[in-house]
Structures are given as C-alpha cells and as structure tokens.
C-alpha cells in the first residue's frame, strides 16, 4: 500500500477530472490517497474508499495583500505529508503544483524522503513554457521533479524540445465507463434519416481563447443554412461574452443554449449528436474522450494531442485549426449520413474502452510510483 498525496486543481476542468478519478482508482486498489486542493471537488463528494480530501485555505496574512497560493499549498502539503506519513507526492500541472510540492519536499527533507512526480497537462508547457518571464520557472518545475509524465506524445515532445529534456514518458488520460450512469447511454439521442430533424451540436470547454469557442457559433451559422441545427455551449470562461454577442449579432440567439458549468457533462453530451472542439491546441482533449465514451462522433481540430485521442475518419473528423468550412462539411456529412455517424460513435466508444480505460492507465502510474520509490530508497552509489 502506497500513501499518495495528489495535488491538483479542483474545478471541473480535464486535469481535475483526471486527478480525482486517479484518486478514486488508486483508493479502490487499496492505496491511501490524500487529495490536496482549494475546495472539495464534487467528484470526491462523498469520498470514495481510501480517499481523503484536504482543503488548502487562502492565508490571511496582514503584511501581504497579495495571495500566496504556491506557498499556501507548499505549507499545507508539507504538514499533510508528515501527519499522514505520505510516501510520495503526485502534482498535476507543473506550475504551480509541482513547485509547491518541491518546496514541501525540501521542508520535510530532514524528517522523510518525499519524491515528487509531476504530470504535465498542457498550458503549463504550451503557454508558460513559451512565456519569456515564466519559462524558467516552468522548466524548474519539471527538472526539479523526481519523475515527470505527459498526457500525450504531442505534449511530451513539446516539453522535451522547449526545455531540452530527455524524452518525457507518456501516460494518457483515462475515463471510467462505469462512472457514466447507464441512463446517459440509454438516453442517447436517437439518430434519424429525416433531413428535417433538428441536429444538436455540443461544445464543452472553459471558454479560454485557446478553445476558439466563437468558431462554434460561426460553424453553426454555416451549418444551419443546410440543415436544421442548434448548439449547446457547456461551460464558462473569458470568451463566453464574445460567443454570446456573436450569436446575437448573427441572429442565432434562439439556436444557441449557453448552459454554463455543468457537473453532469455526460448527460449534456448524450443530448447531442456531435461534439465540436475547434481548439487552437489541446494537450489531450478530455472532452473528446468523454464524448467518445458516451457514443458521440467528434469534429475537432487536427492539433496537439487530439489525433492521439480521436482517430480521423474512424471515431470522428479532425480538420485544420480555423478551417470552418471543412468543419461544416464534416458535420453535414455526418448529419446527412446517420449510419456513418453511428459507426464513428461505436468505434469511439470501443476506442475509449480499449485504450483509455482505468485498467489500461492506472497500472502505469502505479509502476512509475514503485520505480520512483525504489530509486529514492536505494542508497546513493559509492564514489
Ligand atoms: O483546457 C484547459 O484549458 C483546461 C486544462 C485542465 O486543467 O483541464 O486542460 C488541459 O488538461 C486536460 C487534462 O489533461 C487536457 O485534456 C486538455 O487538453 C488540456 N488543455 C490544453 O492543452 C489547452
């Protein structure tokens, strides 16, 4: 049994989903898991077997008007590591969580060895790694970790070339098919040959500029002239007002439902025909995997790690970033050919189950934990 501290974001983003589901899976395999984050994630309430959540509150320090999240996390992680006798820390995102974990490792060094394993999720490399001010800290977060993984080959290559690192091992994200309540699959929208049936597109994201959420509105505008169609926009973030305004100015307000952040993403996916993910880049694209697992064809950008998740022409369609006409044509082809859409959806479901199931992925994390602990416990070579 390994005592594992998982440090992660606790919202509804993909990295939080993966970290919480990893905690659940490790707990189910008999390991003691302590998830450390800002606020109780809905996915861990009620807490699964052998999993405990520890909230890190903001520090009320009269001399510092600024927030100090990295230090707040470091102090909490060091304390929890000693109280709970943790064997290792697994940080999700290099900045800030790997930095906090490394500070905690140094704070407890005299009392216990505490290796830090870091999983890179995307913007910690693709955005921070290119930022002239932050790239040095992003690099330190990676090189100071005792083991590093990336969620896709695309991200691993980018990290190694940006920071001149040896190859970074890849452990992909996963989805637990049993976590999707059976009613969702049972309620899957029936496809129809009827050309006049209104199709439903769905987009799920945090509406950051990298998601190109306004592309979804423009694509709806192109599709609806050739097929009755509406669009579900699930999530919220900086580009939400621009997406709303674009929908209004194109006369599409009544065809777009902005439903905000939703915990039951699977339920919204099941109410749609096609997932639309026109991102500038995605390290992995958790929304695409969730769509595949719920039996939905995906139309997405050919960018980042998406081709590792969605097989073009087999489980969905991947088109060049920003090519709205190609995405529109791909959607229309699927809407006009429900058998093709069903075939893609079925292959997507199988791909999710065969390549991205917990049983495929979780043992790889456990192997890495064991290897790292062995390395830490063995005495240093005699010189
Ligand atoms: O996409 C985001 O901006 C959120 C971020 C997150 O914290 O979940 O997503 C990143 O990590 C996910 C989980 O590994 C990946 O599925 C997303 O592709 C990745 N986002 C980007 O690379 C833009």
């Amino acid at each position: 049994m390994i005592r594992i501290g998982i440090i992660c974001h606790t919202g509804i983003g993909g990295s939080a989903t993966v970290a919480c589901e990893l905690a659940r899976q490790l707990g189910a395999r008999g390991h003691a898991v302590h998830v450390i984050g800002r606020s109780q994630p809905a996915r861990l309430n009620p807490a699964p077997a052998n999993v405990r959540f520890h909230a890190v509150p903001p520090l009320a320090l009269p001399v510092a008007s600024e927030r100090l999240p990295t230090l707040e996390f470091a102090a909490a992680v060091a304390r929890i590591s000693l109280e709970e006798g943790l064997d290792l820390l697994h940080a999700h995102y290099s900045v800030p969580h790997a930095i906090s974990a490394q500070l905690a490792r140094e704070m407890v060094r005299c009392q216990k060895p505490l290796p830090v394993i870091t999983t890179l999720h995307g913007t910690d490399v693709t955005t921070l790694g290119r930022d002239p001010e932050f790239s040095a800290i992003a690099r330190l977060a990676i090189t100071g970790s005792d083991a590093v993984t990336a969620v896709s080959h695309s991200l691993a290559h980018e990290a190694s070339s940006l920071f001149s690192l040896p190859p970074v091992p890849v452990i992909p994200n996963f989805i637990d098919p049993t976590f999707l309540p059976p009613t969702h699959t049972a309620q899957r929208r029936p496809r129809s040959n009827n050309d006049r049936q209104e199709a439903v597109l769905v987009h799920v994201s945090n509406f950051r500029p990298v998601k190109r959420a306004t592309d979804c509105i423009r694509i709806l505008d192109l599709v609806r002239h050739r097929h009755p169609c509406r669009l579900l926009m699930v999530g919220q973030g900086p580009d939400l007002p621009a997406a709303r305004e674009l929908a209004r100015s194109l006369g599409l307000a009544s065809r777009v439902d902005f439903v905000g952040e939703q915990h039951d993403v699977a339920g919204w996916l099941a109410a749609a025909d096609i997932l639309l993910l026109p991102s500038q880049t995605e390290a992995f694209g958790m929304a695409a995997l969730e769509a595949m697992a719920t039996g939905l064809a995906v139309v997405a950008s050919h960018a980042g790690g998406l081709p590792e998740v969605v097989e073009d022409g087999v489980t969905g369609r991947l088109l060049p970033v920003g090519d709205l006409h190609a995405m529109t044509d791909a959607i229309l082809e699927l809407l006009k050919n429900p058998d093709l859409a069903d075939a893609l959806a079925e292959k997507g479901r199988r791909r999710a189950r065969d390549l991205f199931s917990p049983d495929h992925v979780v043992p790889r994390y456990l192997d890495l934990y064991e290897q790292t602990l062995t390395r830490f416990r063995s005495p240093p070579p005699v010189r």
Side-chain angles (χ1 to χ4, degrees):
M1 186 268 284
I2 311 177
R3 291 182 190 81
I4 303 152
I6 289 185
I7 307 154
C8 61
H9 291 302
T10 47
I12 58 174
S15 69
T17 303
V18 170
C20 292
E21 290 306 309
L22 179 60
R24 176 191 304 278
Q25 292 290 333
L26 292 167
R29 286 164 172 77
H31 300 283
V33 188
H34 295 265
V35 177
I36 303 166
R38 267 298 185 219
S39 55
Q40 171 91 44
R43 280 175 184 271
L44 298 184
N45 193 9
N50 301 322
V51 178
R52 252 184 75 197
F53 176 72
H54 303 257
V56 181
L59 181 70
L61 189 64
V63 291
S65 51
E66 299 85 11
R67 301 275 301 275
L68 304 169
T70 308
L71 302 184
E72 290 156 7
F73 268 76
V77 171
R79 173 180 52 75
I80 295 161
S81 301
L82 294 177
E83 283 172 2
E84 306 293 343
L86 298 187
D87 297 310
L88 61 82
L89 299 173
H90 186 172
H92 289 263
Y93 264 111
S94 58
V95 179
H97 294 144
I99 295 286
S100 302
Q102 288 169 39
L103 286 170
R105 178 187 64 195
E106 300 314 311
M107 283 185 245
V108 306
R109 191 178 280 283
C110 297
Q111 285 115 303
K112 71 187 319 289
L114 192 61
V116 172
I117 294 170
T118 297
T119 290
L120 306 175
H121 279 278
T123 46
D124 43 358
V125 173
T126 53
T127 304
L128 289 183
R130 294 180 193 288
D131 184 294
E133 185 91 344
F134 267 89
S135 69
I137 203 158
R139 186 174 201 287
L140 174 72
I142 296 173
T143 55
S145 296
D146 300 294
V148 179
T149 72
V151 295
S152 65
H153 291 279
S154 154
L155 183 63
H157 287 144
E158 195 157 349
S160 336
S161 67
L162 259 176
F163 301 120
S164 311
L165 304 171
V168 174
V170 176
I171 302 184
N173 292 334
F174 63 92
I175 188 160
D176 181 356
T178 63
F179 191 68
L180 306 168
T183 50
H184 289 133
T185 35
Q187 283 169 5
R188 261 230 55 76
R189 223 176 107 82
R191 277 182 247 279
S192 148
N193 269 315
N194 176 359
D195 240 15
R196 302 319 302 163
Q197 180 181 319
E198 189 176 60
V200 180
L201 310 179
V202 62
H203 171 73
V204 183
S205 82
N206 54 18
F207 287 74
R208 287 204 221 138
V210 70
K211 303 291 176 178
R212 300 181 65 108
T214 51
D215 281 7
C216 298
I217 309 286
R218 293 191 192 283
I219 289 168
L220 172 69
D221 193 33
L222 294 170
V223 171
R224 59 120 174 196
H225 292 298
R226 292 153 72 187
H227 196 293
C229 195
R230 55 188 309 109
L231 172 65
L232 280 172
M233 298 287 267
V234 182
Q236 63 179 34
D239 278 355
L240 186 58
R244 268 187 205 283
E245 175 50 28
L246 184 61
R248 197 200 53 75
S249 68
L250 293 173
L252 293 172
S254 64
R255 288 180 180 272
V256 188
D257 299 304
F258 292 95
V259 300
E261 276 192 0
Q262 298 287 332
H263 289 294
D264 175 27
V265 170
W268 290 96
L269 290 172
D273 297 294
I274 294 172
L275 175 84
L276 191 47
L277 198 60
S279 308
Q280 187 68 34
T281 189
E282 285 289 343
F284 183 88
M286 212 39 204
L289 180 58
E290 286 170 342
M292 282 159 53
T294 39
L296 210 60
V298 176
V299 173
S301 309
H302 195 290
L306 278 168
E308 296 170 48
V309 181
V310 179
E311 213 179 338
D312 186 28
V314 179
T315 69
R317 293 302 319 280
L318 296 176
L319 291 315
V321 175
D323 192 339
L324 308 189
H325 289 280
M327 291 187 190
T328 301
D329 289 346
I331 290 168
L332 286 166
E333 191 193 4
L334 293 175
L335 295 181
K336 300 220 148 109
N337 192 347
D339 289 345
L340 175 65
D342 279 341
L344 262 56
E346 183 46 37
K347 285 180 191 145
R349 211 196 299 266
R350 261 190 265 145
R351 186 172 168 81
R353 185 193 61 205
D354 294 347
L355 294 184
F356 302 104
S357 71
D359 286 345
H360 264 83
V361 176
V362 176
R364 295 170 65 182
Y365 277 119
L366 278 168
D367 283 351
L368 180 68
Y369 294 169
E370 295 287 2
Q371 286 163 21
T372 310
L373 286 170
T374 308
R375 196 155 35 88
F376 245 67
R377 283 171 188 153
S378 50
V382 181
R383 291 181 194 277

